[in-house]
Amino acid sequence: MITKWLYNEFQQTGKDYTLQKEVDVYDPSHDDFRNLAKEIQEVIEWLRPNKRLRFLDIGCGTGNFSLALAAHSEKVYAIDVSETMLKAAKAKADIKQIKNISFSHTGYLNFNLPEKSIDGVISSLSLHHLPDYWKSIALEKIFHILKPGGRFYFYDVVIPDHNSIDKINAFIKSQELKGGDFMREDTIIHFKEEYSTLDWIMKTLLTNAGFVVIREEIQDGVLKKFFCEKT
Ligand SMILES: C[S@@+](CC[C@H](N)C(=O)[O-])C[C@H]1O[C@@H](n2cnc3c(N)ncnc32)[C@H](O)[C@@H]1O
């Protein structure tokens, strides 16, 4: 039992997503550097939702992936440690009258779903809020609740194994060009205060948890997608 020494994932690290002002600017500021429609398309292609399948979106934020998955699946569990984010995501679902999303105020280390009950999991830009040891616990939990053959779409900032300082500086510069002072400062906070880890460590954590990494993609030097399977 690790209840006494469990990491407190509800305490915010780096960006404080419990603040309404951060939630209000989240979607518009991310539009400056992300192609959300393309990301959603990739998630749908990898997780292959249909009306008999159940999905888990961890660190769902403003709910963009949960809403997209819900349209094609039986049920989506959308979880986040920020109640403010969950409220924003739920408001979007209410406007679109989407009723098959279960929103819960919980996180990687505290969610509770039965073993082998979930067909696919998405973790997008949220696992880096946990230090590495706790990332490994989170990945083991994800592996545990996935059905055999289940798929995991994992997207996050990952530190390159070589020339990391140059690549991080180049990324900060490119984020500034796309989103001005706000995005530059947002990116600096990311590297200064949050827990993105090295590529080789991230890959080892995934494979140690049992996942097979079927495909990897890197964008802008540090944005990495791992398309994983529980075989
Ligand atoms: C950068 S946002 C990503 C939101 C969304 N997944 C996306 O791709 O746009 C990070 C989210 O992770 C949440 N988060 C941070 N630590 C978490 C944890 N331990 N468990 C679940 N969610 C967490 C934050 O509250 C925030 O909503």
Side-chain angles (χ1 to χ4, degrees):
M1 288 293 286
I2 56 172
T3 46
K4 283 207 168 127
W5 47 278
L6 185 70
Y7 180 78
N8 179 9
E9 61 180 340
F10 294 92
Q11 133 207 307
Q12 298 284 310
T13 47
K15 204 93 204 179
D16 185 350
Y17 289 113
T18 63
L19 300 177
Q20 189 63 50
K21 66 176 176 123
E22 297 295 354
V23 176
D24 289 344
V25 297
Y26 187 83
D27 280 344
S29 63
H30 276 234
D31 279 348
D32 287 339
F33 77 100
R34 295 172 79 173
N35 181 343
L36 191 64
K38 186 166 172 267
E39 285 178 40
I40 287 173
Q41 179 68 20
E42 281 174 349
V43 170
I44 298 287
E45 277 171 18
W46 184 247
L47 297 183
R48 301 176 300 190
N50 71 51
K51 286 290 179 189
R52 286 169 288 113
L53 304 184
R54 296 179 162 228
F55 296 90
L56 169 64
D57 180 4
I58 315 182
C60 65
T62 56
N64 295 318
F65 296 104
S66 293
L67 265 68
L69 279 169
H72 304 282
S73 57
E74 186 195 343
K75 182 161 186 155
V76 175
Y77 297 90
I79 68 172
D80 202 291
V81 293
S82 160
E83 284 184 297
T84 325
M85 278 293 200
L86 285 169
K87 212 170 127 210
K90 190 166 181 315
K92 280 188 194 171
D94 288 346
I95 288 169
K96 296 197 167 172
Q97 298 196 320
I98 296 173
K99 300 194 188 310
N100 58 338
I101 306 179
S102 158
F103 293 97
S104 303
H105 183 219
T106 186
Y108 285 98
L109 305 175
N110 286 281
F111 77 81
N112 196 5
L113 286 166
E115 183 179 2
K116 298 181 187 164
S117 62
I118 297 294
D119 298 281
V121 175
I122 166 167
S123 157
S124 166
L125 299 178
S126 56
L127 188 66
H128 67 265
H129 286 280
L130 293 179
D132 284 2
Y133 169 63
W134 297 104
K135 286 189 187 79
S136 77
I137 300 294
L139 292 170
E140 282 171 18
K141 279 173 61 82
I142 293 169
F143 192 83
H144 182 75
I145 54 108
L146 268 176
K147 293 179 186 168
R151 287 183 161 189
F152 178 37
Y153 173 94
F154 172 51
Y155 175 39
D156 215 331
V157 175
V158 172
I159 313 282
D161 294 336
H162 305 287
N163 303 324
S164 59
I165 294 175
D166 289 348
K167 286 178 183 163
I168 289 170
N169 281 330
F171 180 62
I172 292 170
K173 193 77 212 156
S174 81
Q175 291 293 86
E176 181 182 17
L177 289 173
K178 289 173 189 163
D181 294 349
F182 178 88
M183 221 52 228
R184 181 193 61 239
E185 291 310 308
D186 188 87
T187 312
I188 287 172
I189 288 175
H190 182 98
F191 292 104
K192 198 171 173 183
E193 300 178 24
E194 299 175 8
Y195 300 112
S196 272
T197 197
L198 285 157
D199 195 11
W200 71 268
I201 296 176
M202 199 60 251
K203 198 163 176 184
T204 305
L205 292 176
L206 285 163
T207 50
N208 279 3
F211 287 106
V212 177
V213 178
I214 306 286
R215 196 168 93 234
E216 299 171 47
E217 286 174 13
I218 187 114
Q219 182 200 327
D220 292 339
V222 301
L223 292 170
K224 186 113 192 231
K225 288 170 191 154
F226 292 93
F227 298 82
C228 307
E229 222 166 55
K230 173 173 178 172
T231 53

